Amino acid sequence: MTLLVTGTAGFIGSCVLRQLIAETQETIISIDALTYAGNPLSFGDAAKSPRHHFEHADIRDEPRMQAIFERYQPRAILHLAAESHVDRSIHGPAEFVSTNVIGTLTLLQVALDYWRKLPEPRKSAFRFQHISTDEVFGSLSPSDPAFEETTAYAPNSPYSASKAGSDHLVRAWHHTYGLPTLMTNCSNNYGPYHFPEKLIPLMILNALDGKPLPVYGDGLNVRDWLYVEDHARALRLVLERGTPGETYNVGGAAERANIEVVNTLCSILDELHPQGAPHERLITYVKDRPGHDRRYAINFSKLESELGWRPQESFETGLRKTVRWYLDNPDWVASVRSGDYRHWLEKNYEKRDA
Ligand code: NAD
Ligand code: TYD
């Protein structure tokens, strides 16, 4: 039993990888281009497992993707590789369209060719699982109901527009060619190994350094937060029990205004790292993000009623675990800060070969 997983050096992909290696007997072929967001130190214990094979490859490289499918004959692919940061998409949208849209197109085409040649029963069992975001649904007002699977797409940022484009391709490849696809749209994740350009890890690391905590606009934009391990469990459940062609919303039942998130982080830090207390003094309001979506909220009752999934972690317990992890893992933090992880390939492969 072999699974392909893309984006395994990133935040969520590495969590999926670590969970699959720790909790199943499957062989995992992990694919990552190691962009600035990909850090092989995030493989954690999976790095040492003989059931983990890392392929340093770009999902837009069609011959390479074909070779990987042919060589490993996977039973499914979980596709997480993407450009994922909204602020970066505002400054450089082309890379987002290239990786998120063209990269997904490339994988769909390669997977379709592979799937068509599979003998039964492997053909019926094959799955192409696409991991997407709630941001494709656009922005809610405070009184709007939460996003459902049937909510119309209305992406507002170059990031969410490129993810919406990839979602539409996945839908079409199922509808037109019959490829057995699965799709999930999830709210904001947080937890260990999160690259410190996103709200929660950025605030933790800035607070530890005594640097300003930059809150965009009035700080009242609302996100729903899900602990990353819960997301990884949802993805595994959908892979095993989801219905091909269906989409599933995944959420944390934890809507919070950004300023509430930052205040809660400051209180946890005051307790766990009293040297810098009170950390709230570092909060600084800065100019808003252009086109900043006001509120996201997710209705995950389909996943709950059909597949029995609920988040196990509350926002408060998850946030505490997350702060603890950043305090306990100075090596990972230092590698990210110095950019040293970017020399990993050289260190791990070229010097070893020599
Ligand atoms: P991330 O930015 O931490 O990781 C993305 C990974 O993809 C990195 O390791 C990067 O090196 C790799 N990658 C980028 N371009 C590539 C390419 N062309 N070829 C191969 N690998 C490439 O992102 P994340 O937060 O782990 O998100 C993973 C997926 O989940 C994304 O598809 C994202 O849209 C989706 N998602 C994220 C969140 C969230 O809150 N982080 C929420 C919902 C959905
Ligand atoms: P982010 O982690 O970038 O996720 P997304 O934009 O995909 O939801 O941001 C989460 C929220 O936090 C979003 O409303 C923007 C806000 N934010 C800040 O206020 N300050 C920051 O420095 C960052 C990175 C984000």
Side-chain angles (χ1 to χ4, degrees), residues 41-339:
L41 291 181
S42 302
F43 295 157
D45 286 345
K48 291 178 278 186
S49 169
R51 288 187 289 111
H52 174 220
H53 303 277
F54 177 56
E55 293 278 347
H56 179 214
D58 193 307
I59 57 166
R60 293 164 291 187
D61 182 345
E62 190 166 342
R64 187 77 192 279
M65 292 303 116
Q66 277 165 343
I68 290 173
F69 270 85
E70 283 311 312
R71 174 168 179 203
Y72 295 107
Q73 299 285 308
R75 72 168 178 105
I77 174 165
L78 277 81
H79 173 37
L80 294 102
E83 288 292 337
S84 71
H85 186 39
V86 174
D87 293 314
R88 281 183 192 256
S89 81
I90 295 168
H91 296 290
E95 193 64 10
F96 283 70
V97 175
S98 178
T99 277
N100 298 356
V101 182
I102 305 298
T104 302
L105 168 70
T106 309
L107 284 177
L108 282 166
Q109 284 294 68
V110 170
L112 180 63
D113 284 349
Y114 167 81
W115 172 73
R116 281 181 163 153
K117 290 183 217 134
L118 280 178
E120 290 293 356
R122 290 186 57 212
K123 187 173 183 186
S124 321
F126 182 79
R127 297 288 182 268
F128 185 109
Q129 185 168 352
H130 177 64
I131 285 64
S132 193
T133 166
D134 61 355
E135 303 193 23
V136 297
F137 298 120
S139 185
L140 296 169
S141 75
S143 57
D144 282 335
F147 303 129
E148 296 177 10
E149 285 79 1
T150 50
T151 301
Y153 274 34
N156 291 318
S157 72
Y159 164 65
S160 55
S162 67
K163 289 297 289 187
S166 65
D167 292 7
H168 290 321
L169 293 177
V170 171
R171 178 189 161 91
W173 261 241
H174 175 73
H175 189 79
T176 303
Y177 306 112
L179 185 69
T181 61
L182 295 162
M183 187 152 68
T184 50
N185 294 84
C186 186
S187 56
N188 286 55
N189 283 215
Y190 68 99
Y193 299 97
H194 204 180
F195 193 78
E197 64 184 354
K198 306 277 172 76
L199 178 74
I200 289 178
L202 181 108
M203 294 295 171
I204 297 173
L205 295 190
N206 277 16
L208 292 178
D209 279 354
K211 289 187 185 156
L213 307 180
V215 174
Y216 296 166
D218 61 7
L220 297 178
N221 299 66
V222 172
R223 299 291 183 264
D224 172 65
W225 293 97
L226 178 66
Y227 193 63
V228 64
E229 296 275 357
D230 278 328
H231 186 194
R233 270 187 280 276
L235 295 180
R236 290 168 54 200
L237 190 63
V238 169
L239 175 66
E240 303 315 331
R241 304 218 347 248
T243 305
E246 290 291 315
T247 74
Y248 298 86
N249 281 355
V250 189
E255 273 188 66
R256 297 286 185 282
N258 292 338
I259 190 64
E260 284 181 73
V261 172
V262 177
N263 281 331
T264 311
L265 275 174
C266 287
S267 330
I268 297 172
L269 280 161
D270 287 350
E271 195 187 314
L272 300 183
H273 182 75
Q275 297 90 311
H279 291 89
E280 266 179 31
R281 74 192 151 81
L282 300 169
I283 293 175
T284 312
Y285 286 88
V286 299
K287 192 169 181 295
D288 209 354
R289 169 191 281 172
H292 195 177
D293 283 340
R294 194 63 175 166
R295 172 176 169 243
Y296 303 140
I298 198 125
N299 178 335
F300 59 87
S301 56
K302 177 176 172 180
L303 187 57
E304 187 169 24
S305 62
E306 290 187 14
L307 303 186
W309 177 90
R310 270 200 74 76
Q312 292 175 14
E313 206 68 61
S314 76
F315 186 59
E316 283 64 29
T317 58
L319 210 53
R320 184 168 282 273
K321 279 189 185 175
T322 304
V323 174
R324 187 78 268 162
W325 187 87
Y326 280 89
L327 289 170
D328 290 347
N329 286 274
D331 291 351
W332 187 91
V333 170
S335 80
V336 168
R337 281 194 166 137
S338 68

